[in-house]
Amino acid sequence: MRRFDGLSVLVSGAAGGFGRSIAKAFAAEGAKLLLTDLDDAALAAAAKDLPNTEIATLAGDVSREATAQALVETAIERFDGLDIAINNAGIVHAYKRLSTIDAAEAERVIAIDLMGVFFAMKHQLAAMEARFEREGRGGAIVNVASVAGLKGAPLLSVYAAAKHGVIGLTRSAAAETARRGIRVNAVCPSFARTAMVLGDGHGADSEEEKRIVRGIPMRRLAEVEEVVAAVLFAADPANGFMTGAVLPVDGGLSAI
């Protein structure tokens, strides 16, 4: 039996980066998927890439509460409930000193990376708590935060602030819902081999990559699959006693 056979799993930011790989991994483990992203066309392409999987898609802006509400309603309508939510959607601002960051840029990062997780969890938890009251069946939430949420991140101050906030939400929600059959955990990647980190045109062993890995004890980037493995571990129903955990996947960066 596969780990997530028959379970409904919501993945945000599912059209690319970690999200698309997370969706593939859950599909391979038997999950039913509800995928969301801002880019409708890219979302459709991601869904098409997962044959023989029961999939629903709903494009939307995670910084809007209406999107979070609609996603949970869709999960209930299509799959009779929501078992697992992976709140992965996020953006990062350019490397800048705090004093030079434009207010509108800062507000957009906070809106997506922090408020987006707040809105998502607000509606996900309400649905999971209601089902627990009815059926005694809870659920699991995994928030994709960042090692920038565990320590200072020079030149990424607003992004770091948002990710610190995600960790605060994670721990607080875990404590609130521990007796309601719901587990809430966070995974904190550092730099991984994604377009968000390297940008277009930066292949392996590029100067950009060499610059980034100098501060990582393992002296390399994370592979996307290594981060995905941590997400699935946190979501796994067999991992039933772990809640409020914050899991660094950072090659030792948070250890120094």
Side-chain angles (χ1 to χ4, degrees), residues 93-98 148 151-157 160 191:
H93 59 80
Y95 289 97
K96 295 179 181 178
R97 296 181 69 84
L98 190 152
K151 54 192 299 181
L155 306 182
L156 288 174
S157 57
F191 300 102

Side-chain angles (χ1 to χ4, degrees), residues 35-52:
L35 306 181
T36 186
D37 202 286
L38 185 62
D39 187 332
D40 199 0
L43 185 61
K48 189 176 180 180
D49 197 30
L50 297 170
N52 305 315

Side-chain angles (χ1 to χ4, degrees), residues 207-246:
E207 288 305 313
E208 178 68 7
E209 179 173 335
K210 291 175 183 177
R211 182 189 67 78
I212 290 171
V213 303
R214 286 191 197 110
I216 299 174
M218 284 190 176
R219 291 296 192 272
R220 67 174 179 86
L221 299 176
E223 299 299 333
V224 170
E225 293 76 15
E226 292 172 318
V227 177
V228 172
V231 171
L232 267 65
F233 169 74
D236 193 335
N239 195 11
F241 202 57
M242 188 177 83
T243 193
V246 176

Side-chain angles (χ1 to χ4, degrees), residues 110-133:
I110 295 294
I112 293 173
D113 292 5
L114 178 56
M115 294 305 296
V117 174
F118 165 72
F119 291 139
M121 293 206 325
K122 175 181 176 180
H123 292 276
Q124 293 159 5
L125 289 171
M128 290 177 178
E129 287 177 317
R131 188 172 67 175
F132 183 74
E133 291 297 322

Side-chain angles (χ1 to χ4, degrees), residues 2 8 10 23 35 73 86 94 112 115 132 143 156 205 234 243 245:
R2 295 174 294 182
S8 60
L10 187 163
L35 306 181
E73 290 172 350
I86 311 299
I112 293 173
M115 294 305 296
F132 183 74
N143 296 319
L156 288 174
D205 298 321
T243 193

Side-chain angles (χ1 to χ4, degrees), residues 9 16 27 30 39 60 71 77 93 97 106 111 135 140 150 172 191 198 201 206 232 235 239 245:
V9 180
D39 187 332
L71 284 165
E77 291 168 7
H93 59 80
R97 296 181 69 84
E135 306 171 18
L150 298 172
S172 300
F191 300 102
L198 292 176
S206 68
L232 267 65
N239 195 11

Side-chain angles (χ1 to χ4, degrees), residues 49-227:
D49 197 30
L50 297 170
N52 305 315
T53 301
E54 190 174 353
I55 297 177
T57 61
L58 180 64
D61 183 348
V62 297
S63 70
R64 298 174 61 87
E65 184 172 2
T67 299
Q69 182 175 358
L71 284 165
V72 171
E73 290 172 350
T74 300
I76 293 170
E77 291 168 7
R78 288 291 303 272
F79 304 131
D80 197 33
L82 178 64
D83 295 303
I84 296 167
I86 311 299
N87 297 316
N88 164 74
I91 62 171
V92 64
H93 59 80
Y95 289 97
K96 295 179 181 178
R97 296 181 69 84
L98 190 152
S99 59
T100 68
I101 297 174
D102 182 76
E105 183 177 22
E107 289 169 357
R108 185 62 176 158
V109 171
I110 295 294
I112 293 173
D113 292 5
L114 178 56
M115 294 305 296
V117 174
F118 165 72
F119 291 139
M121 293 206 325
K122 175 181 176 180
H123 292 276
Q124 293 159 5
L125 289 171
M128 290 177 178
E129 287 177 317
R131 188 172 67 175
F132 183 74
E133 291 297 322
R134 293 193 312 269
E135 306 171 18
R137 180 179 171 187
I141 294 174
V142 182
N143 296 319
V144 178
S146 169
V147 70
L150 298 172
K151 54 192 299 181
L155 306 182
L156 288 174
S157 57
V158 177
Y159 177 76
K163 294 302 186 177
H164 273 75
V166 169
I167 290 171
L169 288 175
T170 298
R171 287 172 166 155
S172 300
E176 289 178 7
T177 61
R179 292 188 178 183
R180 295 183 175 91
I182 301 167
R183 298 184 305 107
V184 188
N185 296 289
V187 171
C188 295
S190 62
F191 300 102
R193 199 177 298 283
T194 64
M196 180 182 286
V197 171
L198 292 176
D200 296 331
H202 293 295
D205 298 321
S206 68
E207 288 305 313
E208 178 68 7
E209 179 173 335
K210 291 175 183 177
R211 182 189 67 78
I212 290 171
V213 303
R214 286 191 197 110
I216 299 174
M218 284 190 176
R219 291 296 192 272
R220 67 174 179 86
L221 299 176
E223 299 299 333
V224 170
E225 293 76 15
E226 292 172 318
V227 177

